[in-house]
Structures are given as C-alpha cells and as structure tokens.
Amino acid sequence: MRHTLKLLSVLSLSVSASVFAGSFTLSSEDIAQGQYMSKTQEFNGFGCSGGDVSPQLAWVNAPKGTKSFAITAYDPDAPTGSGWWHWQIVNIPMTVMEIPAGAGGTKTNRAPVGSTQIKNDYGSRGFGGVCPPEGHGIHHYRFTVHALSVERLELPEDASGALAGYMINGNTIESSTIEALYKRD
C-alpha cells in the first residue's frame, strides 16, 4: 500500500508540473489578438501614410531544444495569390526574449545583434507596415515567433520570403502567433 501511495504521489506531481508548465506565448504592448492595429503600424507609401513602425514583441517559455528564434509578419489576405510578407527576421539569439517597437526599421538598425532581416515584399530589409488596398475589407496580419532547433539559418544574401519561410518552418520546434487586423475604407 505504501508503495502504491508513493507512486501515486509521483504521478500526481508529474501531471501537476505539466499542467502548470507555461506554454510558448507571444505578447505585445502594441498589437493584440483579433484587434485592429493603429496607424503606427501602417506602411508609409503605396498610398498609405502611417508610421511604418514594427510592434514591440515579447515571448516566454521557449520549448526545450530552442537554439534561436525567428519572427514573421504575414498577410494571407493580400490579393496576390500568395499573400504578403511584411517582415521576416531570423537568427535571433536564444537569449533574446523581447524586441522593442521599431526594431524592424529599414532606416535604423535596432534588430537584435546577430539577427538578419529578410527582404519584405515591398523590396526592403526589415518591417514593411500594413497597407491593404482601400475597400478590400479586413486583412488578418499574423505576427509569429518561431522557436528554432538551429542556431542559424543559412540563407543566401538575397533569400526570398518563400525560401526564408521554408527554412523557418523546417526548423520550427514550436511557434506562437498574434493575429491582428487592419482595413482601409
């Protein structure tokens, strides 16, 4: 009986630990799940006149085996047939758990040391803000942090968004997403 109680105690602790272990979670002071973004995240160009500032992002509880991170911002609703890459930043060191607003700036280098920003679909390296066509309705913008199983993604200097996405997805252990909204009437 004593052995059975001891075994049940150990099993109970194991179950409790897994239930209370935090999940890999992305948060932001600037964007929120299912909420509209501000003009601060709107592109400045292509008929848009926003601040073109990447949002602050933070994450917790990286899964075991994480060696680096990547961040992507993607609009699946863009009328291109393939969506629109607004931002891809790879090779973020595993010690980084937060990036400030504006870290994806194309004119300033505030991205984490050692990271690489991939050319977005506007043609520049860094964050390119939201700018759906006027009257096109609500667009869903998926900001995702990926916990990667490798320290570095070896990508060519001119890697496309599709190639970067392929390498990110092929090395993702776990990811967390905030899907924010935007529309222009």
Side-chain angles (χ1 to χ4, degrees), residues 21-26 59-72 144-150 168-177:
S23 61
F24 187 45
T25 305
L26 177 63
W59 50 95
V60 296
N61 301 318
K64 184 178 179 180
T66 300
K67 295 183 180 173
S68 69
F69 298 99
I71 296 170
T72 60
T144 304
V145 62
H146 302 261
L148 303 180
S149 61
V150 295
I168 291 167
N169 289 327
N171 291 284
T172 294
I173 299 170
E174 193 173 339
S175 64
S176 182
T177 300

Side-chain angles (χ1 to χ4, degrees), residues 6-7 37 41 62 80 89 97 100 114 118 136 138 154-155 162-163 165 171:
K6 195 175 190 180
L7 181 61
M37 287 180 278
Q41 280 75 48
T80 63
I89 179 171
M97 300 301 253
I118 306 300
H136 200 255
I138 299 170
E154 299 300 329
L155 292 166
L163 177 58
N171 291 284

Side-chain angles (χ1 to χ4, degrees), residues 83-170:
W84 192 271
W85 288 108
H86 287 270
W87 193 22
Q88 291 175 305
I89 179 171
V90 299
N91 302 331
I92 300 169
M94 68 177 286
T95 55
V96 174
M97 300 301 253
E98 179 176 4
I99 59 169
T106 57
K107 295 175 180 66
T108 60
N109 188 7
R110 297 183 59 204
V113 173
S115 65
T116 302
Q117 298 199 80
I118 306 300
K119 194 178 281 188
N120 61 42
D121 282 342
Y122 292 113
S124 58
R125 291 186 184 282
F127 178 76
V130 302
C131 185
E134 284 186 0
H136 200 255
I138 299 170
H139 280 226
H140 301 78
Y141 295 88
R142 296 176 184 155
F143 289 82
T144 304
V145 62
H146 302 261
L148 303 180
S149 61
V150 295
E151 285 183 29
R152 294 193 60 72
L153 292 178
E154 299 300 329
L155 292 166
E157 175 79 19
D158 61 345
S160 68
L163 177 58
Y166 175 82
M167 295 300 288
I168 291 167
N169 289 327

